[in-house]
């Protein structure tokens, strides 16, 4: 008998103290008027590999794939956030 482990919505290496420290710094930079830029990179192959397939009974399901292919498209995306500053000063 295998006992199932309950899934949680938290990452196993999640640290609330580090997250709080990061958010404090982030809010400090935003309040100072710094622009916040989040970037991510992803790659796409020109061919996709299908790990399964269909064949007639008694014949193997054979396909070919070029493992030396270098046809990849890389994409870099960025989100730019700049806090809106008030034009009126309060004294």
């Amino acid at each position: 008998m295998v006992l199932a482990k309950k899934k949680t919505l938290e990452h196993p290496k999640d640290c609330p103290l580090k997250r709080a420290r990061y958010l404090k710094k982030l809010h400090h930079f935003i309040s100072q008027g710094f622009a916040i830029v989040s970037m991510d990179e992803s790659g796409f192959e020109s061919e996709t590999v299908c790990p399964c397939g269909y064949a007639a009974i008694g014949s193997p399901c054979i396909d070919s794939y070029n493992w030396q292919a270098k046809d990849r498209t890389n994409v870099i995306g960025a989100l730019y956030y700049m806090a809106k500053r008030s034009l009126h000063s309060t004294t």
Side-chain angles (χ1 to χ4, degrees):
M1 181 174 153
V2 177
L3 296 175
K5 185 176 180 182
K6 185 175 179 180
K7 293 182 182 179
T8 63
L9 297 178
E10 296 177 2
H11 192 276
K13 294 182 180 179
D14 185 25
C15 179
L17 297 176
K18 288 182 180 179
R19 181 169 175 77
R21 194 177 323 135
Y22 166 77
L23 289 176
K24 183 178 177 182
K25 288 181 182 180
L26 180 65
H27 291 302
H28 174 71
F29 287 131
I30 290 173
S31 68
Q32 295 292 318
F34 285 97
I36 306 299
V37 179
S38 300
M39 296 180 68
D40 194 14
E41 182 261 337
S42 182
F44 301 94
E45 291 192 24
S46 61
E47 289 187 47
T48 57
V49 177
C50 184
C52 58
Y54 295 96
I57 296 175
S59 62
C61 180
I62 299 175
D63 194 13
S64 63
Y65 180 75
N66 182 7
W67 293 102
Q68 270 60 39
K70 303 291 183 206
D71 297 334
R72 284 185 65 86
T73 302
N74 292 319
V75 179
I76 297 176
L79 296 175
Y80 179 83
Y81 173 77
M82 182 76 173
K84 294 180 183 176
R85 288 188 163 179
S86 175
L87 297 175
H88 306 286
S89 61
T90 58
T91 55

